[in-house]
Amino acid sequence: MSVSRRALLATAAGAVAVGASAVPAAEAADRQPAGATLRTLRAAADYAVEKVRAVAPGVTGFPVGTRFEKWTYSRNGDWVGGFGPGTLWMAWLHSKDDSFRAWALDSARDLAPRQYDTSTHDLGFLFSPSWVTAWRLTGDDMWRAGAIRAADSLIQRYNPRGRFIRAWGALTDRANAGRVIIDTMMNLDLLVFASRQTGDTTYLDIAVQHAKTAQRFFPRPDGSTPHVYDFDPDTGAPIGPNTVQGYSPASCWSRGQAWGIYGFTTMYRRTGDKEFRDTARKLADFAIGALTPDHVPVWDYRAPQQPYDIKDASAGAVMACGLLDLHAATGRHTYREAALRLLTALAETCLTTNSARADAVVARCTRNRPPEDGIEISLPYADYYLLEGILRVLRPEDVDRAIDLSQPR
């Protein structure tokens, strides 16, 4: 790393829970896009807030996806439970209506049992947009302590021989013991948070080692990535690429590519390691080049029917956030311009504005194409990342308070 662990932890130790960091200079320099784009994004954010306001009182669990345009729910949150509270926090930042704040806190409390869940890598998805954001916006130490306990559970999934965090299965499950997926890049920030808050570099070391392993094995020479990479869990030796949600081990699942862009950029921001930034750029350049003229990603950039295949708006929302982050990290305006095109396309062609019965904000999402699980539905992470992306443009200081957009020093 190009910054010491001491410097990294010291930087965080001086931050206050509420509004701790400064908005990146590159992002602040071009805060406002063209008038028409700005109006489109504001209208989309307003629509999202009003939709969430209308639906929130009737929510009975954690939304996991829609069936006939109505949310279906998980009682324990599955892997997506953090996005419900996260969306409510984004709605609060945009509207300043304290109803959203109350709903966000109530929803997040229901994730409390998952602090101790060692059976999944998804604890960052569960606790970063919910409990970490709650701590940053309220200063209540209960949320901070719970997020650290979740990080304690996550590091138990680390394999020191292969230097990776296993994705799926209980710790006793041999079948998935060597399986690594690109999505895990998004869960590493929970470990960085725990290191910053406790001063214990164990969490940070594991996050960095996993990111370096992913950096070594996932990106292909052209910047595309597989969904899965398998390792021998006993020796740590690489076996090869694979997939669960992509078309094939040689294809490029678009949401996974977006997780990689956002995740590697985040690891650059947290550590200052320029190799993470350069990896994010490589992945971003491939994904931007693979977009169709409508700027809504197909579900897999290398599926046989692309560019005319099923779309995944959630991949576009995640990618837009990652590209805005990457612009702030590099100062390269092409990333911001691509992000604005993605957000505008989602706002103009993927919202549920034409449906009176829809519970969600974003339509045209694909959960898992190979088994035909969730085609042309809505997904909670699409709603969350659309709002995060739009508010990164409209209200960067507020988003910074919620999720910390600070750059390496």
Side-chain angles (χ1 to χ4, degrees):
M1 290 186 293
S2 59
V3 293
S4 69
R5 292 187 181 91
R6 182 189 301 272
L8 175 65
L9 298 173
T11 296
V16 220
V18 182
S21 58
V23 177
E27 187 166 331
D30 5 40
R31 191 167 298 161
Q32 299 301 328
T37 299
L38 199 58
R39 288 190 294 274
T40 297
L41 298 185
R42 281 179 177 155
D46 291 344
Y47 173 74
V49 166
E50 291 311 308
K51 174 63 71 176
V52 174
R53 189 196 311 276
V55 172
V59 167
T60 60
F62 296 102
V64 296
T66 54
R67 180 176 171 80
F68 304 119
E69 300 185 277
K70 295 298 183 183
W71 285 125
T72 61
Y73 298 104
S74 165
R75 295 306 305 167
N76 76 349
D78 197 74
W79 73 270
V80 298
F83 297 119
T87 300
L88 290 163
W89 280 123
M90 292 297 129
W92 179 68
L93 292 175
H94 186 58
S95 69
K96 311 305 182 186
D97 180 346
D98 282 340
S99 297
F100 293 111
R101 183 183 187 277
W103 286 325
L105 293 171
D106 285 345
S107 179
R109 287 188 188 97
D110 289 339
L111 286 173
R114 301 296 300 278
Q115 300 166 65
Y116 308 99
D117 186 352
T118 61
S119 70
T120 178
H121 73 123
D122 287 314
L123 291 163
F125 283 129
L126 288 168
F127 285 91
S128 289
S130 57
W131 286 50
V132 173
T133 293
W135 175 72
R136 288 182 59 81
L137 294 177
T138 69
D140 185 338
D141 195 60
M142 178 189 81
W143 306 109
R144 170 187 172 276
I148 294 169
R149 282 192 291 270
D152 288 333
S153 297
L154 180 55
I155 61 174
Q156 294 185 51
R157 302 183 64 78
Y158 181 64
N159 182 318
R161 294 173 297 280
R163 298 182 179 180
F164 61 78
I165 295 170
R166 59 180 295 184
W168 297 313
L171 298 178
T172 55
D173 176 13
R174 290 288 300 169
N176 287 296
R179 182 144 281 196
V180 179
I181 64 175
I182 191 68
D183 317 39
T184 306
M185 288 301 305
M186 293 292 290
N187 292 310
L188 303 181
D189 201 32
L190 180 67
L191 301 183
V192 180
F193 173 81
S195 265
R196 288 180 164 190
Q197 295 304 313
T198 65
D200 184 348
T201 61
T202 302
Y203 308 98
L204 176 64
D205 290 341
I206 289 174
V208 169
Q209 290 305 317
H210 178 95
K212 287 187 176 295
T213 298
Q215 180 181 62
R216 181 180 175 190
F217 290 102
F218 276 86
R220 303 184 182 107
D222 65 357
S224 66
T225 58
H227 176 209
V228 174
Y229 207 98
D230 288 322
F231 296 83
D232 182 315
D234 296 320
T235 67
I239 295 173
N242 211 322
T243 197
V244 172
Q245 291 188 249
Y247 175 76
S248 77
S251 72
C252 185
W253 176 50
S254 61
R255 191 162 69 245
Q257 190 79 3
W259 295 138
I261 295 166
Y262 196 157
F264 277 111
T265 305
T266 299
M267 285 302 292
Y268 163 69
R269 289 199 293 105
R270 302 308 190 210
T271 67
D273 187 329
K274 293 182 174 61
E275 291 186 359
F276 293 146
R277 179 198 61 194
D278 294 344
T279 299
R281 288 194 57 201
K282 188 174 183 178
L283 271 56
D285 292 345
F286 173 85
I288 292 169
L291 288 173
T292 50
D294 66 356
H295 300 292
V296 181
V298 295
W299 74 279
D300 191 304
Y301 294 126
R302 286 190 171 145
Q305 296 179 18
Q306 66 83 28
Y308 308 108
D309 210 336
I310 297 293
K311 298 289 187 175
D312 183 10
S314 73
V318 175
M319 181 176 166
C321 293
L323 290 176
L324 288 170
D325 221 9
L326 193 53
H327 163 254
T330 64
R332 291 183 176 265
H333 299 290
T334 52
Y335 296 132
R336 183 175 175 84
E337 290 161 2
L340 292 173
R341 288 194 296 271
L342 282 162
L343 292 173
T344 301
L346 297 177
E348 292 179 341
T349 68
C350 296
L351 300 188
T352 58
T353 49
N354 292 330
S355 173
R357 63 174 278 115
D359 279 351
V361 176
V362 181
R364 303 182 71 193
C365 298
T366 298
R367 179 162 48 206
N368 192 354
R369 178 78 164 96
E372 299 292 321
D373 172 21
I375 310 300
E376 291 286 343
I377 65 169
S378 297
L379 295 166
Y381 36 95
D383 287 9
Y384 171 78
Y385 287 109
L386 177 74
L387 261 179
E388 181 193 305
I390 290 175
L391 296 188
R392 279 173 175 266
V393 178
L394 301 181
R395 300 176 178 276
E397 294 92 346
D398 285 338
V399 176
D400 180 52
R401 290 171 54 214
I403 64 174
D404 182 7
L405 302 178
S406 57
Q407 295 294 317
R409 297 177 181 176

